[in-house]
Structure formats: structure tokens, C-alpha cells
Amino acid sequence: MSTTNKYGHFDDHGRYVIDNPYTPEPWLHYLIRVEQPGTQTFCSGVSYAGGGFDVKGTHENTFVDTQLHLNDGDGNGRYVLIKDKKSGEVFSTAWQPIRNPNQKYKVTLDFGRIDFESSCNGLEVKNTMFVPKHFDGWIQNITIKNTTSETKDLQIFPYVPIHMGDALIRLLAGDNDGFFGGAAFDRDLNAIVFRRHHGTNVNDDPAKINGMLGNVAAFYSTLNNSSTEYETSLERVLGGRFNTLATAEGIKAGKLSNKDQAYLRRTIGLFLNEVSIKAGETIEFAVALVAGSTQDYYLNNKSQIKGFLASVNNAATRAEWLAESTDWWKKHMGMLKLSSPEAKIDRAFRWLQYQCQIVFVLNRMKSRFHTGYEYGWGFRDILQDVNFYLPYEADKVKAALKHIATQMFTNGICYHNFFIDQPGNRGVEASDDPLWLPNAVIKYCKETGDFKFLDEVVDYAEVREGTPGVSGTILEHCTKALDRVWTDCSPRHLPYMKDCDWNDDLNEKRVNGEPRRTMESIMVAQQLVKANRDLAELFTASGKKTELASEYIKRADVVLEAIEKYGIDKEGYYKRAIACDGSEDLGTSSAEFGRIYLEPQAFAVLCGCTGKERAEKVIAAVKKDLDTDFGAMICWPLYTDLANKNILPKKTWNVEKEPPAMKENGSIFMHLNAWLVQAYAILGMGKDAVACYLKTLPENMSSDPDRYKCEPYVYPEYVRGRGGEEHGRGGHTWLTGTAPTMHQAVVEYIFGLQADYDGLVVDPCVDSSWKDFAVVRNFRGSTYNIAVKNPS
């Protein structure tokens, strides 16, 4: 068992247990419907106190949204309230919203499930929540044991808040959007059915449902019958606008209105189930939210949703489905296993696998920090994330790459982010976006040897904007992507930064609707060197477009020469960007702020742009200026004119507007630290690679949980850097490219397993104190059990 902090600990099975609910922030867990494509995956974000959200795909198809991102109090969620009729005392299986002082409470976050356990006034309660493989929705399986010597008469109130439809439109249009939906108790189902009357088409034929786009969802308790009392309006159950669920008049009185609601405003599902439990007796029941089909509900006699609810009614089926879900995770994570002398690395790796899967499905959408309303999937983001999945299910990666490729236009420009049905965002042209597509395709080909994939034909984004028949092969998409960056270079053959280049807040305001071309990006230049070399190697390995290989090698040489000539600071490290307009270069030792940036130092090594002598200077500069106890900062010194001196920023970009030591203004950006680990390994610095990886493990960063505040079991996007407020506080956990890039760092660089065209390369780089370590890795249909002995 790991060291226990004041809020929780990892148990012997690697699960995280929270036994003190007063955590500094509402720590989150994710449950997803496995084996679904990302555009369709049902996901529940669940805080340990019951708050969170339910969403299918992007924000266009939301079911529950408690706005956890605005609500650190975490006071709205999916609850089961239990009331003792004799005493009138109430507590919740999820601790919120009652926070009964007599309640002992423990939550176990497990892979594919979350277990809420309580004891209060002689009742022992366990509530296990999971998302089954069989339908979009969730099940809470609940047992209540009476440990007293007398019969307990209880009123049980299952509760769900509903925020159904396109979550962004709900926010923008308010009640005007809420008119297009409703809630009613369906006597056929003994469930409250929520209807959505327009929005996103969900697996239905629009012509058959008369424009009733959207979902139908049923809220159900297996204790329900045709005479069950229910409520659909939060206002009615509260009984007054200053009441909360903890003081709701309907719950205190034990009486609900049994009224439907023909619109979606403060809409809820709430039941009143009455049970008696004899001394020593245990009862079991379940509560579920089941998303159904509009077409099935209105035109098919509800047969599909009836079948789902019949299955939920069966305790044996629920147990079977729970086991099926958790077994899937065991099997999935068992496809790649690490064993090292560092128990923390081994323990953290399973959570890393789980987090990576969530990131792959949700990208940067809905979390405690992201609303999920604005982004959809990021083109660059998902192409960084998807590679981790290759050792697990390469076919899923192939399908994802085909879908992502359709978000690129024939000129190589991409939607910066995209959605389920609507066209994506063309308002941001990140200079590095196109480069991530060939990078991911090359990784796929190395993993599988499947060069036929390069000949598969997919649409370009013109099709999404109304021009049919515009398509090309995957390989053509890759060459167009690379050609776009190559041709959008300065006369010195360095790519322009444009709207941004991985670092989103190096984003100067557009001029006449077009991105600026006043700075050349050294980071993208480094990426362009490697991308040209790698694509040339793919041409040769696949036997396709081999005549282009020498041209792409020449391009790489030209860009590398420009980096050498213009991109090196007098101190020997790499500048971040070079000004074309006579203003100050970025990331240069003569600057007052941001004298050194981490990105070009790490990428110089990753992209093969530096020799050993300069690499040593680069690493020395990183350690001297950027290192902290939590990892390396993104830049130093911090930009402080605006925050500390009331001086306006010199440029329009966001990096100077951000609080010092947060996000891109000098935070410890974890994604970059994953690349730094990789750079150490490439340079043969095994001790540094392992030390950097250990330093940035969530368990180690959260050793003081009141300082760190975030979840101690998953990676954050960043930790606040030195020199600003609350140094050491984490931010933007769960949905971050940190996770898949750390997965790559530990598997491919520390343990040294890298797929190549000719097979699996084993080239570890570890701390010399490691005497033995092992890996289990699937590769092209075989399982490799690799043990390394390092006696000397």
C-alpha cells in the first residue's frame, strides 16, 4: 500500500480509496461505454460525491450536466437519498447533498466502476455505479443492510438532474431552448422519460421521426411500480427558491407531486420508493438512466428500451454486466504490462492506461476544467493522443485516423477542432496541426506493417462543407499536410508560427481575418525536419512514392540548416521563435521575460536536430533555469508586466495576459515534461529520464494534497510554477495530452519498446540501479514477454 494522505490512498489492488470526503477539490472519475467509437461513446464523469455529467460524443448530445466546472461545492448530482421514516433523518449514498454528520463514508475508484459505501444509524449501504456495454446510460446497483435489532421503514429517493440536448445551445438560448423537450412518467415503463425534440440526429432516420432530432432517455428504479410517486420539477420538490435538496420540502414531507413537465427547465427525475427492512436483512435494487432511440420509442412500441429496462430489473444480469465491464478493463490493461523496481511506476501505470483511454475517447471535452461546450475534438490533440492505443487495438487507431483525415482540406489546412455533425473550426490555423497526421500514420504503419492502409481513400473536409466527391488516399493526405507546412515557410525556410504552434497562447491577433506571419517557429521547424525524414523513410519502406524520398530528405536538410543559422541563442540553447518584423525574438537570453522555453530544447533532441555537444548545453540550461520539484517549467522568467506592474502586454498574444506561473505563462506543463523524459532517454541519460518520470507521477506531485489539490491518481495538464501564486497546485486533470505522451515516454523510451517497420525494437534506458525489469507487449498478433537483467 502507498503512503496514505489525509483524504485517501491506493489499496493493494491499485484502486484509489477516498475515506475523507473533505478533499480540497471535487475529485473526478470517468466511466465509459467500452468498444464504441469516440463519436458515439457514452461517458459518465462522476465525482466521489455524486456530481458530474453524462454525455454521448461531443456537447451536441448531453444528458446530465451539473456544471461541475463552475461548482467546486459539487452540490448537484445523481443521488439516492435514504430517509428513516421514524426519525426523519436523511443521508445520501453519495454523501452530497446531505453531508450527514452521523454518516461514515468511503468511495473506491476502480477501473470501470465506482463504489460508494456508507454506514449511518444502523444502515450499511453500498452503491456501485458503472456504464454497461449494452446500452448508453448507467446503472447504480444498491444494497442496504439493516444492522439494528428492529425493522427499518425507509423512504428512498433516487434523483437525477437533467440537462438534455446540445449543452452549448442550452446555455446560449436558455428557456427558449428548454421549450423543445419534456419529462413524463411513462406507465408502460414505470420510468420517467425525458424527451428531446430537436438537436442532433442520434441513430435515427430523420425522415421517419418528423424532425424530432435528439434522444429519449428513461430514468428508472427497480423499486418502481405503477403507483410510485415521482417528480419532474426541481422547483416543486424544493418548495421554495432558497431551499436546497438537503432542505427540500418534498423530501422532508415524504410527498411528491406526481406531475409531468412539458418542457426542460430545472427538470429532474425523482422517485419515492418505500421499503421495510427487517433486523439483519439486506435488500438490493438498482437505479438507471437509459438512453434510447427516438424512432424506437415512438414508432417501435418502445421495444428496445423495454428490453434494456427488463435487463436492469434482473439482479443476476446486472452482476453479469458489471463483471463484463470490469473484466474488459482487466483484459485491456493486461495487453501491456510493466514491472519495475519502482512500485509507484507500476501502480501508476494502470491509472495511466485508464486515463489514456478516457483521453482517446473524450479528447479535451468535458471535465472539471473544460465545459465540453466549445472544443469538440482537437485535430492536433487527438493525433497526439491516438498513438498510445496502438499496442492495444490498432484497428481502432486505423478507424480513428480515417475519420480524422476527413477534417483536412485539399490545401493541407485542417479544422483546428471538429464535431459530430457540424463543420469544424477554421478560425484557428495552427502551424503544426498538419504535421501530426503523417506522424500518426507513420506510427500506425510501424506498429502493423499495414502499408495497404496508405492506399485507402477518404474524403477531404470540402465534403463536410457541401462539396461532394473530394477525396484522396491516406498517403496523399499525408503529403498534402507536409507540403502545407513546407510551402508556408518564410524566405529563410522556417515555418511561420501563424495562429499558434502547439503552444496555444502564442497566438497573436489575426490581421484582416488572416493569421500573422511575423514570427518563425523554431519548434515547428524542428518538427518539420523530422516529419520530412520520417515520410521519406515511409516512402522507401512501403515502396510508395519512392521518387519523392530524396526530395523530402533535401527539405529536411534545408530547414535544419536554417535552424542552425538563425535559431540558436548565444548561450547555446534554442530560441522559441524568431521575429521577422524587427521585434524581439522569443526565448532568447537578451529578453526580459521568457528568456528560455522548454519546447524547442526538448524537440531539438526528439527531432534529431542537435548533436551531443549542444544537447549537453540544452539540458544544462533546462536544469538551471526551468527545473522545479514538480518538473520543468514551460518558460522562464515569467511574464509579469500585466499582473504585477499594470503595464500592458507588448503583444496581443495570451501568454502575457495569463497569471504568472499558470498555463503557458511559466507553469510546469506536464505534456512537455513527458517529451523531456523522452529526450533524456534519447541522450542515454537513464538516471535523469527515470528521475524526471518519477518526479512527475501524480502520486508524488500530490504528496501534499492540500498544496496540490487535484486528483492524486491521474495526470494534470500543468502544475503552477515557481514565482507565482500557489506554486505546486495542479490544474486541468484527466483530459490532457500529458497522459498518452507519458505512456509513450515510459513504454517506448524508458522500457524501450518501439515498433519499427522491420519489427519490435527493444532498447531500454533506465536508471543504472535497476537490476531487473520486465514488459508484456502485444505486437502484430504475438505476445512478447520480455525480461531484462542488469546485474552490472
Side-chain angles (χ1 to χ4, degrees):
M1 184 182 292
S2 66
T3 303
T4 299
N5 67 42
K6 64 191 286 187
Y7 304 110
H9 62 274
F10 292 97
D11 69 11
D12 293 335
H13 300 284
R15 303 171 298 197
Y16 198 80
V17 179
I18 299 168
D19 45 26
N20 174 0
Y22 290 92
T23 60
E25 291 179 356
W27 294 347
L28 191 66
H29 194 35
Y30 280 88
L31 307 170
I32 62 170
R33 185 180 178 189
V34 298
E35 297 183 356
Q36 298 289 301
T39 52
Q40 297 178 20
T41 303
F42 183 91
C43 173
S44 284
V46 191
S47 80
Y48 72 88
F53 44 83
D54 298 317
V55 64
K56 181 178 179 180
T58 61
H59 62 73
E60 297 153 282
N61 201 5
T62 298
F63 297 90
V64 170
D65 184 2
T66 65
Q67 297 189 326
L68 190 65
H69 55 282
L70 297 173
N71 178 19
D72 269 358
D74 197 18
N76 195 16
R78 293 148 294 198
Y79 306 133
V80 178
L81 308 181
I82 300 172
K83 176 182 173 183
D84 187 314
K85 288 184 71 174
K86 183 177 180 180
S87 67
E89 189 168 6
V90 184
F91 70 100
S92 167
T93 62
W95 191 67
Q96 284 275 42
I98 309 298
R99 304 191 300 277
N100 190 314
N102 296 320
Q103 180 181 4
K104 292 182 179 179
Y105 184 68
K106 180 176 82 170
V107 179
T108 302
L109 310 182
D110 200 352
F111 308 112
R113 64 189 284 176
I114 179 169
D115 294 304
F116 305 89
E117 297 176 80
S118 294
S119 61
C120 188
N121 296 330
L123 297 175
E124 291 183 356
V125 182
K126 183 173 183 179
N127 179 347
T128 298
M129 183 174 176
F130 68 101
V131 170
K133 291 174 65 175
H134 301 273
F135 62 77
D136 292 329
W138 45 258
I139 296 172
Q140 296 184 47
N141 196 77
I142 301 151
T143 59
I144 305 177
K145 182 178 181 179
N146 179 2
T147 63
T148 72
S149 57
E150 61 181 16
T151 297
K152 287 278 191 179
D153 294 320
L154 306 178
Q155 290 183 324
I156 297 172
F157 296 89
Y159 168 85
V160 64
I162 288 294
H163 191 272
M164 204 161 165
D166 186 319
L168 179 57
I169 293 175
R170 291 297 315 272
L171 284 182
L172 294 175
D175 282 356
N176 287 334
D177 183 67
F179 295 143
F180 296 97
F185 193 90
D186 186 317
R187 300 291 171 185
D188 276 350
L189 306 177
N190 286 332
I192 295 174
V193 172
F194 306 101
R195 306 178 312 278
R196 180 68 186 163
H197 299 162
H198 81 113
T200 303
N201 179 37
V202 184
N203 301 329
D204 290 318
D205 181 349
K208 291 182 178 179
I209 56 176
N210 296 332
M212 287 273 290
L213 300 182
N215 250 321
V216 170
F219 181 53
Y220 180 67
S221 166
T222 60
L223 297 173
N224 284 358
N225 55 51
S226 59
S227 60
T228 293
E229 291 188 23
Y230 70 93
E231 183 56 84
T232 58
S233 164
L234 183 60
E235 288 182 2
R236 284 195 295 262
V237 74
L238 294 182
R241 71 186 184 93
F242 295 112
N243 285 335
T244 67
L245 273 179
T247 60
E249 292 178 10
I251 291 171
K252 284 194 292 185
K255 186 69 178 172
L256 303 183
S257 76
N258 298 326
K259 290 183 179 180
D260 299 336
Q261 185 156 280
Y263 53 92
L264 292 174
R265 184 180 187 277
R266 302 190 80 189
T267 304
I268 63 168
L270 181 66
F271 301 119
L272 170 51
N273 300 138
E274 303 222 21
V275 298
S276 290
I277 311 179
K278 295 177 182 177
E281 185 182 20
T282 299
I283 67 163
E284 179 179 349
F285 66 100
V287 175
L289 182 72
V290 181
S293 154
T294 299
Q295 199 165 313
D296 172 71
Y297 187 80
Y298 288 101
L299 301 179
N300 197 30
N301 196 32
K302 315 171 191 175
S303 62
Q304 187 182 60
I305 203 164
K306 284 178 181 176
F308 292 150
L309 293 180
S311 296
V312 171
N313 239 2
N314 187 308
T317 300
R318 297 196 302 268
E320 178 185 322
W321 283 4
L322 174 61
E324 192 176 39
S325 180
T326 54
D327 286 348
W328 186 92
W329 283 105
K330 290 175 186 174
K331 181 179 178 182
H332 170 77
M333 294 191 291
M335 296 172 75
L336 182 55
K337 296 179 181 177
L338 306 182
S339 177
S340 77
E342 296 283 355
K344 288 183 178 180
I345 288 179
D346 299 353
R347 177 166 51 238
F349 184 65
R350 296 181 72 206
W351 276 100
L352 177 58
Q353 290 175 300
Y354 195 86
Q355 184 179 4
C356 284
Q357 181 69 18
I358 302 303
V359 171
F360 176 50
V361 169
L362 280 178
N363 202 231
R364 306 294 182 272
M365 280 186 275
K366 204 157 187 60
S367 71
R368 290 202 292 117
F369 303 91
H370 294 112
T371 68
Y373 309 151
E374 67 275 54
Y375 293 130
W377 287 278
F379 186 89
R380 169 180 66 212
D381 293 340
I382 197 167
L383 286 167
Q384 291 174 111
D385 301 342
V386 73
N387 292 330
F388 101 91
Y389 207 41
L390 286 167
Y392 303 93
E393 291 189 78
D395 283 349
K396 292 276 178 66
V397 177
K398 179 180 180 179
L401 292 177
K402 289 171 68 173
H403 178 64
I404 298 163
T406 67
Q407 313 300 322
M408 191 184 85
F409 292 86
T410 51
N411 62 3
I413 293 176
C414 320
Y415 289 129
H416 188 60
N417 48 288
F418 56 94
F419 307 92
I420 296 174
D421 282 354
Q422 65 201 57
N425 174 18
R426 299 182 71 175
V428 175
E429 188 181 342
S431 55
D432 65 313
D433 267 355
L435 296 176
W436 294 99
L437 179 62
N439 177 66
V441 169
I442 288 165
K443 293 274 286 187
Y444 169 80
C445 289
K446 287 184 175 182
E447 178 70 29
T448 63
D450 176 18
F451 294 125
K452 291 181 180 178
F453 174 58
L454 300 173
D455 298 322
E456 294 199 29
V457 176
V458 296
D459 289 339
Y460 287 101
E462 279 89 346
V463 174
R464 298 179 69 85
E465 300 205 350
T467 306
V470 185
S471 60
T473 67
I474 291 292
L475 187 56
E476 287 167 349
H477 279 70
C478 291
T479 56
K480 287 180 184 294
L482 207 54
D483 291 349
R484 174 66 192 180
V485 183
W486 166 251
T487 56
D488 207 5
C489 283
S490 71
R492 300 193 296 195
H493 301 294
L494 292 170
Y496 291 114
M497 185 176 285
K498 295 189 287 189
D499 287 325
C500 57
D501 66 346
W502 187 81
N503 188 326
D504 287 335
D505 286 344
L506 299 177
N507 59 338
E508 280 218 81
K509 187 177 180 181
R510 287 185 164 207
V511 177
N512 298 323
E514 291 294 320
R516 293 198 189 197
R517 287 170 170 80
T518 55
M519 299 206 82
E520 301 158 322
S521 172
I522 296 302
M523 178 183 180
V524 178
Q526 293 163 339
Q527 290 178 287
L528 186 57
V529 170
K530 181 169 172 42
N532 275 294
R533 290 172 175 171
D534 287 352
L535 201 58
E537 186 183 15
L538 177 66
F539 295 150
T540 302
S542 66
K544 301 177 189 298
K545 296 185 181 288
T546 53
E547 72 281 1
L548 294 178
S550 60
E551 169 63 22
Y552 280 65
I553 292 293
K554 288 177 184 175
R555 291 182 183 182
D557 292 343
V558 167
V559 178
L560 182 58
E561 183 179 349
I563 295 171
E564 286 289 313
K565 186 172 182 180
Y566 303 109
I568 314 297
D569 183 76
K570 64 184 180 181
E571 297 295 328
Y573 59 79
Y574 289 85
K575 297 179 181 180
R576 182 62 178 84
I578 302 171
C580 309
D581 58 0
S583 61
E584 187 176 67
D585 292 346
L586 179 65
T588 179
S589 56
S590 60
E592 181 181 4
F593 305 115
R595 289 197 297 267
I596 180 171
Y597 273 76
L598 181 54
E599 298 104 299
Q601 320 316 324
F603 269 77
V605 178
L606 295 179
C607 298
C609 295
T610 185
K612 185 176 186 295
E613 184 177 345
R614 185 176 299 124
E616 290 175 353
K617 290 182 179 179
V618 162
I619 293 301
V622 168
K623 289 183 174 181
K624 173 178 174 286
D625 292 327
L626 300 176
D627 198 29
T628 76
D629 291 341
F630 296 86
M633 294 165 60
I634 194 171
C635 65
W636 181 262
L638 312 173
Y639 294 89
T640 57
D641 271 353
L642 182 62
N644 296 351
K645 304 174 188 175
N646 292 327
I647 298 173
L648 289 175
K650 296 180 178 66
K651 290 180 176 285
T652 62
W653 55 27
N654 284 341
V655 66
E656 294 188 55
K657 304 172 191 174
E658 288 179 318
M662 292 179 67
K663 292 284 281 181
E664 280 81 354
N665 186 7
S667 80
I668 302 153
F669 225 82
M670 288 294 136
H671 199 154
L672 275 169
N673 277 268
W675 281 319
L676 181 59
V677 171
Q678 296 175 29
Y680 281 135
I682 289 171
L683 296 172
M685 302 171 67
K687 189 177 184 68
D688 291 276
V690 172
C692 185
Y693 188 74
L694 281 168
K695 181 191 292 189
T696 55
L697 284 179
E699 183 176 347
N700 285 335
M701 291 191 294
S702 64
S703 58
D704 180 350
D706 289 320
R707 177 185 187 182
Y708 181 69
K709 296 188 184 295
C710 283
E711 295 92 337
Y713 40 88
V714 290
Y715 282 97
E717 178 187 77
Y718 69 94
V719 174
R720 298 188 191 186
R722 67 174 188 268
E725 296 177 15
E726 296 186 277
H727 172 42
R729 179 173 182 171
H732 286 57
T733 51
W734 275 107
L735 301 186
T736 165
T738 302
T741 312
M742 283 291 185
H743 186 285
Q744 185 180 48
V746 68
V747 174
E748 298 183 25
Y749 289 85
I750 292 177
F751 283 80
L753 272 68
Q754 294 194 21
D756 210 340
Y757 297 119
D758 296 328
L760 188 63
V761 176
V762 183
D763 185 18
C765 186
V766 302
D767 191 315
S768 58
S769 66
W770 285 22
K771 298 307 177 189
D772 54 73
F773 51 97
V775 189
V776 177
R777 165 69 149 92
N778 281 308
F779 183 70
R780 299 187 188 176
S782 298
T783 300
Y784 289 79
N785 290 276
I786 300 169
V788 180
K789 303 294 181 184
N790 187 33
S792 57

